[in-house]
């Protein structure tokens, strides 16, 4: 951005110097014509060149006097811009606050402008939405990620997680979730399915049971008791599960009674609910859980950074662009929203501007006063100096033509009157 501005200034400097050379060259031509007229005694050419030199020099003086003292001589009422900078700033501030920040004029302009429609049209265009999305993805999001401290975010997540957990009555949730089990055959079917799974897992892990038994029996048994013990354990567990799967068995009845008692306690016992809450909160406080929570931010940050590195293929950028376009299209298709936005601009913004018109005027005035006079003069000359050189050129040409007119009037008077 800075290099582009520097390049633009260099172009302006070159253009200004070129126009100054043109104006000076034209003045030089007038001087040359004056010398030729004197030498060859050409009255008409002399009249033209004299007036052209006067006009060119006078306008050169006028243009230069705006920005600096001509030839460095501190002539009265020269270097107007640097010496009158404060007065210019004050007058500019008053002019803007009185002429531009005028209720009648502002209302007309705001009514004509139709900000909501223009803004929605602009936002709904893919190119414009992409520009905003790129600005957000390239500058704003990475800037935010680099500014915030990871420790603060992790601490915030930990605090929020803990507060949210403590605010939840898990006992009520468990009671509510388990309540359907007390109705119909849901509980029986769920228990049967669970026992079927346990029975299948027991069969699939028979070798593991044998190894565990072997590792636990005395070395001096030489493995003679391992097989009988493991078979006894396996068969006992299998018989227990098979018996429990029968709805009318005593084991099943006792399991049903235990589950019913547990559900009743969860539903009606405050002590049981407190135990459930403490159990879950205790689990959430374990180091492994805390480390996982801390890792959430690291994963989020890494995912965002990796996505933004994809440039135009970034999902975040595409989503932002799509969101902006959708927002623009949504406003365009909503006359009520357009009226609300325009009324806000017309009423609220207008009120803010009018209530602060003096502040705005004072801000302009104080800003101009804070500028360096010489620097302001140089910047203004760079911006408008090129066009002002036409004053010098026109002054030279118009002066010469006026000289011819005066010469013609004088010649006519002497020829016809005298």
């Amino acid at each position: 951005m800075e290099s582009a501005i520097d390049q633009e200034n260099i172009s302006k400097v070159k253009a200004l110097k070129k126009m100054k050379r043109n104006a000076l060259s034209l003045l030089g031509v007038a001087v040359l014509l004056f010398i030729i007229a004197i030498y060859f005694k050409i009255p008409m050419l002399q009249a033209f060149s004299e007036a052209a030199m006067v006009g060119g020099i006078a306008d050169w003086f006028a243009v230069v006097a705006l920005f600096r003292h001509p030839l460095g001589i501190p002539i009265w009422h020269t270097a107007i811009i640097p010496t009158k900078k404060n007065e210019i700033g004050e007058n500019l501030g008053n002019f803007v606050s009185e002429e531009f920040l005028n209720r009648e004029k502002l209302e007309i302009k705001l009514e004509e402008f139709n900000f909501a429609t223009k803004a929605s049209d602009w936002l709904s265009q893919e190119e414009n939405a992409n520009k905003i999305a790129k600005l957000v993805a390239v500058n704003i999001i990475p800037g935010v990620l680099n500014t915030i401290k990871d420790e603060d975010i992790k601490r915030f997540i930990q605090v929020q997680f803990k507060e949210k957990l403590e605010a939840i009555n898990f006992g009520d949730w468990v009671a509510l979730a388990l309540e359907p089990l007390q109705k119909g055959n849901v509980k029986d079917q769920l228990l049967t399915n669970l026992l079927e799974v346990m029975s299948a897992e027991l069969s699939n892990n028979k070798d593991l049971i044998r190894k565990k038994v072997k590792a636990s029996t005395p070395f001096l048994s030489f493995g003679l008791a391992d097989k009988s013990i493991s078979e006894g354990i396996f068969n006992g567990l299998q018989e227990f599960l098979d018996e429990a799967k029968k709805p009318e068995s005593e084991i099943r009845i006792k399991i049903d009674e235990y589950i019913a008692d547990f559900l009743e306690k969860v539903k009606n016992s405050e002590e049981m609910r407190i135990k459930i809450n403490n159990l879950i909160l205790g689990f959430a406080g374990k180091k492994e859980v805390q480390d996982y929570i801390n890792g959430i931010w690291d994963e989020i940050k890494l995912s965002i950074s990796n996505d933004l590195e994809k440039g135009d293929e970034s999902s975040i950028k595409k989503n932002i662009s799509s969101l902006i376009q959708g927002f623009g299209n949504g406003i365009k298709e909503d006359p009520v929203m357009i009226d609300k936005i325009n009324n806000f601009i017309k009423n609220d913004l207008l009120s803010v501007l009018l209530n602060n018109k003096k502040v705005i005027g004072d801000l302009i005035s104080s800003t101009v006063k804070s500028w360096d006079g010489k620097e302001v003069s140089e910047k203004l000359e760079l911006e408008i100096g090129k066009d002002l050189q036409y004053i010098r050129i026109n002054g030279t040409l118009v002066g010469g033509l006026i000289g011819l007119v005066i010469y013609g009037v004088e010649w006519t008077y002497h020829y016809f009157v005298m």
Side-chain angles (χ1 to χ4, degrees), residues 19 36 50 68 75 150 170 198 261 280 347 372 379:
M19 287 305 300
I36 293 173
E50 282 179 346
R68 67 185 68 83
I75 303 172
D150 293 344
F170 290 100
M198 293 176 65
D261 182 61
I280 295 175
N347 298 323
D372 177 72
K379 287 183 177 180

Side-chain angles (χ1 to χ4, degrees), residues 15 203 283:
S203 297
F283 171 77

Side-chain angles (χ1 to χ4, degrees), residues 41 78 86 97 176 213 247 254 271 273 315 324 326 395 401 417:
K41 296 180 180 179
T78 60
N86 292 347
S97 62
L176 185 64
V213 171
K254 288 183 179 179
E271 182 181 357
R273 297 191 186 192
S315 299
I324 292 171
L401 292 175
V417 177

Side-chain angles (χ1 to χ4, degrees), residues 214-392:
K214 184 177 180 180
S216 302
T217 54
F219 177 74
L220 294 177
S221 67
F222 300 104
L224 297 178
D226 295 348
K227 186 174 182 180
S228 59
I229 293 175
S230 61
E231 286 294 330
I233 293 175
F234 176 80
N235 293 333
L237 290 173
Q238 192 65 61
E239 289 175 7
F240 175 85
L241 293 175
D242 290 339
E243 188 68 17
K245 282 187 278 186
K246 298 176 183 178
E248 70 281 359
S249 67
E250 289 188 16
I251 296 175
R252 182 61 172 266
I253 293 173
K254 288 183 179 179
I255 293 176
D256 288 343
E257 290 175 352
Y258 174 81
I259 293 176
D261 182 61
F262 175 76
L263 293 177
E264 190 67 25
K265 286 182 178 179
V266 171
K267 185 176 180 181
N268 300 314
S269 172
E270 184 65 25
E271 182 181 357
M272 178 60 74
R273 297 191 186 192
I274 292 174
K275 286 181 179 180
I276 293 173
N277 273 340
N278 291 339
L279 178 65
I280 295 175
L281 292 176
F283 171 77
K286 289 184 175 296
K287 183 179 182 301
E288 294 80 0
V289 177
Q290 297 296 310
D291 290 342
Y292 173 76
I293 295 172
N294 285 334
I296 293 175
W297 169 244
D298 293 329
E299 290 294 329
I300 293 174
K301 187 175 180 180
L302 181 61
S303 298
I304 293 174
S305 299
N306 290 339
D307 183 77
L308 294 179
E309 289 177 358
K310 297 178 182 178
D312 291 337
E313 298 302 316
S314 166
S315 299
I316 295 175
K317 178 180 173 296
K318 289 180 179 179
N319 288 333
I320 294 174
S321 177
S322 177
L323 182 65
I324 292 171
Q325 281 186 271
F327 178 72
N329 289 324
I331 294 177
K332 281 201 304 185
E333 298 169 2
D334 190 344
V336 176
M337 181 60 70
I338 288 178
D339 288 339
K340 286 183 178 180
I341 294 174
N342 284 332
N343 287 334
F344 167 78
I345 297 295
K346 184 178 178 180
N347 298 323
D348 295 44
L349 182 59
L350 181 62
S351 175
V352 171
L353 290 174
L354 293 176
N355 291 336
N356 293 277
K357 59 187 296 185
K358 187 176 185 308
V359 176
I360 295 172
D362 291 342
L363 175 62
I364 295 173
S365 176
S366 61
T367 301
V368 174
K369 288 179 181 179
S370 67
W371 293 344
D372 177 72
K374 182 179 178 182
E375 184 179 352
V376 172
S377 178
E378 290 174 350
K379 287 183 177 180
L380 284 176
E381 184 177 17
L382 193 62
E383 296 296 330
I384 64 174
K386 174 186 171 183
D387 295 323
L388 291 179
Q389 301 311 308
Y390 286 107
I391 296 177
R392 295 174 57 188

